[in-house]
Amino acid sequence: MSTPYYVSPEQIRQDKEDFVRRGIAQAKEVVVLEYRDGLLMVAENPRKTIYKISEIYDRIALAAAGRIAEYEALRVAGIRESEIKGFRYYREDVTAKWLTNLYSQHMGAVAQAWDAKPLEIELLVCEVGITGSETASGLQRNQIYHIAFDGIYSEEEKYAVIGGRATAITEMLEQRYTDGLEMRAALRLVTETFQNIEADTDTEDGYEIAPDTIEVACLEQTAERRRFRRLSTDEVTALLS
Amino acid sequence: MLDLTDYGTSNFFQILKRRHPELLAALHSSNAPSNSTVTEASFHQYEGTTVLAVVYDAGVVMAGDRQATEGYQVGERRIQKVYPVDRHSAIAVAGAAGPCIEMAKLFQVEVEFYEKTEGMALSLEGQANFLSHLVRANLGLAMQGLIVLPLFAGYDLKQQRGRIFKYDAVGGRYEEGDYYAIGSGGKDARATLKKRYSLGITRQTALEIVAEALWDAADEDIATGGPDLIRKIFPILYTITQEGVSEVPEATVEELYRELISRL
């Protein structure tokens, strides 16, 4: 007969958190920031077809740091739920806040289940505002929600960072970020921050920030229904030159 | 709650059928009402009519009149029968207006859903084939008089040309190389197109003969609406080229008709 044992809920939670932190600490960063015409998303990602930033719905995008396979499942489920909701009601009824709740509940349930591994993933759910964020209010503004592995989420403003060195990058952005940046300036700010952080940390992986080692996408405040746009390497090269 | 089921498909129609069949009631034949009720109802339903597509040198024009009829009455003067699908394709529908609009909407979502989940656009040929399945799924309702017939057109990026696909009620898919028109005024529109069409026409010529074909259809067919100069209602025209789908501005369409009328 095995000996019954007791582990306090605090201990279980702590163990899970440590487990996820170790995983996320390896993950390359994703930055989302508000610029003059919408939201700019930049990730350190040398892969050509595997993305960490993607389109969910007309005004909504999803970015992740952590395990790609887990992100992929959440991404597809998010597109499916959004399309079903938009098909049932109206396209504008699909919001980032609704989607964030959906993800949050799922990630929270998985993190609390005694027999499941918590998701080793952090998410940013972004929605571009209908008009310029200066004048817009409530759900019409640009929105950025940060969801942790356990489903706890927070609302971010101006910029948000996920990934291993998120704290350090956030500190750098705090000093240099200004409102109303143009896309070129916003992209430069992020790539320079990435370069600084790569220089600061030991660069055993020899990671270099170049147009083909970053993934860039944006949500633009345009008249087009689908606001999400992925920038090609050529476009990024032109913006950075 | 987030549903993480692996449906093993990028097919939105299949997912809806499994999870929310009630949302497909307008299209899915198993939910069709019995024969007698439809015969009764067919006088209280809107019918959309003439739509057409014409290939020109840089792509394809797709257009439709704006009228829906209810029996012998005008049901709606401003209905939209042509819908953009993705960046390089559009669908036009003729038949029972409710299921028609539902099919166009579902088809648009389907193509976009595929593009987002797979990470690449569904080919024009793939879209044309998928539309066959949607038409076939509607067969039960079609047998009872609620027929939906689409016309599909787009710019094929691989072949670098505009293409048109027509369908029959059982989902048969047929390609047309130059022009086609369907709906109650379709035959009249085709007669005009046949006389005025030639290969490699320019955008301007294409717009002119499309306007004329719809004018003739409205002239001969009571269900097709002509341009309404008093209410300022004009047919909707879209052009589809390598650059994408764009609606021809209403002012341009009005100008086409003023020009046409001055020549009569």
Side-chain angles (χ1 to χ4, degrees), chain A residues 70 104 192 200 202 235 240:
Chain A
E70 292 175 351
S104 158
E192 280 164 23
D200 280 3
D202 74 290
E235 269 179 284
L240 289 177

Side-chain angles (χ1 to χ4, degrees), chain A residues 87, chain B residues 24-28 45-51 67-69 79-85 91-109 131 134-135 138 141-142 145-151 182-184:
Chain A
F87 188 79
Chain B
L24 291 171
L27 284 173
H28 202 253
Q45 107 209 355
Y46 287 4
E47 292 273 347
T49 51
T50 314
V51 292
Q67 184 165 287
T69 52
I79 197 169
Q80 185 179 349
K81 301 174 190 176
V82 187
Y83 298 88
V85 176
I91 182 176
V93 280
C100 271
I101 293 166
E102 203 67 8
M103 182 184 284
K105 180 178 159 192
L106 179 62
F107 183 58
Q108 189 276 322
V109 171
L131 192 50
L134 284 188
V135 176
N138 192 53
L141 287 173
L146 288 167
I147 198 162
V148 177
L149 277 185
L151 190 63
I182 59 168
S184 64

Side-chain angles (χ1 to χ4, degrees), chain B residues 47-93:
Chain B
E47 292 273 347
T49 51
T50 314
V51 292
L52 54 87
V54 172
V55 173
Y56 67 101
D57 58 4
V60 57
V61 185
M62 193 164 222
D65 75 307
R66 306 292 298 276
Q67 184 165 287
T69 52
E70 185 185 4
Y72 296 106
Q73 304 257 300
V74 172
E76 167 66 44
R77 294 180 201 280
R78 289 185 173 85
I79 197 169
Q80 185 179 349
K81 301 174 190 176
V82 187
Y83 298 88
V85 176
D86 73 355
R87 286 179 193 87
H88 295 100
S89 62
I91 182 176
V93 280

Side-chain angles (χ1 to χ4, degrees), chain B residues 190-207:
Chain B
R190 287 203 301 274
T192 302
L193 293 174
K194 190 177 191 172
K195 298 282 182 228
R196 302 273 275 115
Y197 185 82
S198 57
L199 274 176
I201 51 171
T202 61
R203 177 178 184 272
Q204 183 57 30
T205 313
L207 294 182

Side-chain angles (χ1 to χ4, degrees), chain A residues 187-213:
Chain A
L187 182 59
R188 285 208 177 149
L189 171 61
V190 179
T191 49
E192 280 164 23
T193 310
F194 279 164
Q195 264 151 6
N196 289 341
I197 204 86
E198 289 292 342
D200 280 3
T201 43
D202 74 290
T203 50
E204 269 174 35
D205 57 355
Y207 199 88
E208 255 186 65
I209 304 300
D212 61 344
T213 61

Side-chain angles (χ1 to χ4, degrees), chain A residues 19-38:
Chain A
F19 166 76
V20 174
R21 293 250 176 275
R22 278 197 297 276
I24 300 271
Q26 312 284 324
K28 290 286 188 191
E29 292 72 19
V30 186
V31 173
V32 173
L33 80 169
E34 292 186 60
Y35 74 110
R36 197 190 58 190
D37 307 315

